[in-house]
Amino acid sequence: MSIKLENISYTYMQGTPFERNALDDVSVTIEKGEFVAIIGHTGSGKSTLVQHLNGLLKPSTGKAFINDVDLDGKGDEVKKAKHSVGMVFQYPEHQIFAETVYEDIAFGPRNKGFSEEEVEKLVKDAMSFVHLDYEEFAQKSPFNLSGGQMRRVAIAGVVAMAPDYLVLDEPSAGLDPMARDVIFEEIINLYKKRDIGVVLVTHSMEEAVRYANRLLVVSDGKIILDDAPKEIFKNHSQKLLDVSMDIPQVFKLAESLRQKGLTLSEDIIDAKSLVAEIKKQRGIK
Amino acid sequence: MEETIIKLDNLTHLYRDNNDKEFPALDSVNLEIKKGEFVAIIGANGSGKSTLARHLNALLKPAKGTCLVAGMDTSDEKNLWNIRQTVGMVFQNPDNQIVAAVVEEDVAFGPENIGVPTEEIRPRVEAALKTVGMLDYAKHAPHLLSGGQKQRVAIAGTIVLEPACIVLDEPTAMLDPKGRKEIVSTISKLNKEKNITVIYITHYMTEALAADRVIVMNKGKIAFDGTPKEVFSHAKELKEFGLEAPLAAEVASELIAAGMKLDKEIITDEELVEALCPSN
Ligand SMILES: Nc1ncnc2c1ncn2[C@@H]1O[C@H](COP(=O)(O)OP(=O)(O)O)[C@@H](O)[C@H]1O
Ligand SMILES: Nc1ncnc2c1ncn2[C@@H]1O[C@H](COP(=O)(O)OP(=O)(O)O)[C@@H](O)[C@H]1O
Ligand SMILES: [Mg+2]
Ligand SMILES: [Mg+2]
């Protein structure tokens, strides 16, 4: 099971003076069970790229497949394939539309033809998944929620559809550190429990190294690097700076310590692993 | 650094919640900011940061208490014009702040609006663009710029009005790493070279390290107010407020907890490296 993009190019407003090439001959395959992070400068094409993963945008040239179904076709099979990809957009407030949180989350399952009883169960499950208390929130207007809560409603709406793939476009922008951690806990939970594929667009190098097992670096509409996050951050720091990216702070700190003579393993990816290494060095349990 | 530019006395702001009940988004806040200070404000979502920011240029009025900007009361309509000239605002989304089709026209929009004489506008626009490092882009179309560049144009559009104080509400939340660095260095420069008072709201703790003073908001109140060292050495309490300490402070505090003898006030990478591997 996989999502496959073959030689995709995409031009916005083709044939007008505002024509803009956003993707340039991109090919990539994302397997179910992978956790893929995508980083790249603003305007590099990340959002355009991920909107090809569920057929939301139709490539100007090239082909997109979900589980071997060609998205260019019509009919139930194509619809079903597209529905297997859940998308949480960059601005969740654009995704939310119903009068109550319940109605918003129920929309997808209802559309799929579930009975009201089944819908209610799916909504309850999805809300508990994202830690939104059913009694407190089900009947609230989603528009009066905080940014973090709104994003959780958007995620719950996607979770209720039981997708095979979950695509998140900058889900942590504007969230405080704790709200961010809560959302990622939920995503990791879903990833592990249901063995789905996750695609995460982010501006945070920390998130990429902490959560993903594969990292794509996009620049000017092309994928310029594709490897394990640790490998990319270890081997391509200059290239990343050249394309407006960076390496995680902990990689810099560990490197400064190494230059001062501390021998530290190459496997440091966060504060926890750095602390463990320093303790080992100093013989502290 | 003596002159007071911002003074809040028991400032309370009330909003209505979902059940139409009033609640204080700001709860008897007292705060004094001196001219030339660089103050970072951090706090969980919903803690009242944006509400506070909006009081500083009279977009909101106190329900109780007072908000004085350069001695002017924000609840007095007569002061509105002068307050808006004194305090400039920059918001989160760079795309919503740019109005014109050419960068220099966008920056000229404010001065034209307040009736600055035409012959004065051009040199002021040029100076503002130069300050933010965007003079080379004066003739460019804003929509083709990167996020960091757009945000710098928005900052130029604010400083062209020569405010004494600039308030930035999460200006880097939507930017890539390079854009974030550009904004922090632009703002530090404005503060150091032009002595503009900076009030900088952010969720990035490392950005707050650049400030002279850090204010932590929690549930409509000021929970901490001190130098970055004083605030960020409280890793545990920060977590309770939905925040985190910068990496070096977190690592140092865990090493101390594990029994290592380290200075409690380590907050930057340089300090941690020096403490662990002293250079003689
Ligand atoms: N609806 C649109 N119309 C015209 N151009 C667009 C549109 N959406 C995006 N673009 C342009 O396409 C390029 C890629 O945009 P996007 O995929 O949103 O990048 P990213 O998500 O990496 O910031 C940018 O140059 C952007 O300005
Ligand atoms: N226009 C509004 N109407 C009602 N409540 C609001 C409004 N704006 C903000 N709030 C509420 O006020 C509190 C503080 O919000 P805000 O100042 O935006 O916090 P922050 O900027 O720290 O995230 C939150 O509980 C928020 O939900
Ligand atoms: Mg995007
Ligand atoms: Mg805010």
Side-chain angles (χ1 to χ4, degrees), chain A residues 41-42 91 140 144 174-178 180 203 205 241 244-246 249-250 256 260 271 278-279 282 284, chain B residues 18 44-45 144 147 170 174-178 180-181 203 242 244 247 250 258 260 269 273 276-277 279:
Chain A
H41 58 84
T42 52
Y91 305 101
K140 275 196 175 163
N144 290 340
L175 295 188
D176 64 58
M178 175 133 75
R180 221 174 48 200
H203 278 322
M205 309 299 116
L241 287 173
S244 301
M245 294 294 104
D246 207 342
Q249 188 77 26
V250 74
S256 307
K260 290 284 187 135
I278 297 174
K279 288 198 323 204
R282 299 288 164 105
I284 302 172
Chain B
N18 291 319
N45 296 119
L144 296 179
E170 297 189 38
M174 305 175 76
L175 303 186
D176 57 40
K178 179 160 175 238
R180 293 203 294 263
K181 284 183 217 158
H203 283 309
E244 63 189 357
L247 177 68
E250 188 184 340
M260 265 179 85
D269 284 8
V273 171
L276 291 174
C277 317
S279 49

Side-chain angles (χ1 to χ4, degrees), chain A residues 46-47 90 169-170 201:
Chain A
K46 303 180 297 298
S47 295
Q90 197 164 347
D169 198 349
E170 297 189 31
V201 176

Side-chain angles (χ1 to χ4, degrees), chain A residues 12-13 20-22 40-49 90 169-170, chain B residues 143:
Chain A
Y12 285 102
M13 302 198 270
R20 184 122 183 104
N21 288 325
H41 58 84
T42 52
S44 60
K46 303 180 297 298
S47 295
T48 309
L49 174 63
Q90 197 164 347
D169 198 349
E170 297 189 31
Chain B
H143 72 274

Side-chain angles (χ1 to χ4, degrees), chain A residues 5-20:
Chain A
L5 304 184
E6 274 180 11
N7 307 102
I8 288 198
S9 295
Y10 187 82
T11 308
Y12 285 102
M13 302 198 270
Q14 198 151 26
T16 76
F18 305 104
E19 190 170 287
R20 184 122 183 104

Side-chain angles (χ1 to χ4, degrees), chain B residues 15-48:
Chain B
Y15 281 124
R16 287 182 186 282
D17 68 10
N18 291 319
N19 304 318
D20 216 33
K21 247 180 54 197
E22 285 190 331
F23 75 96
L26 292 176
D27 191 356
S28 297
V29 172
N30 291 302
L31 175 66
E32 186 171 351
I33 293 173
K34 303 274 185 205
K35 203 154 183 295
E37 275 195 284
F38 180 171
V39 181
I41 301 182
I42 58 177
N45 296 119
S47 59

Side-chain angles (χ1 to χ4, degrees), chain B residues 110-121 124 161:
Chain B
E112 278 166 11
N113 232 8
I114 63 166
V116 173
T118 317
E119 64 277 12
E120 255 182 56
I121 292 182
R124 269 169 73 164
L161 298 170

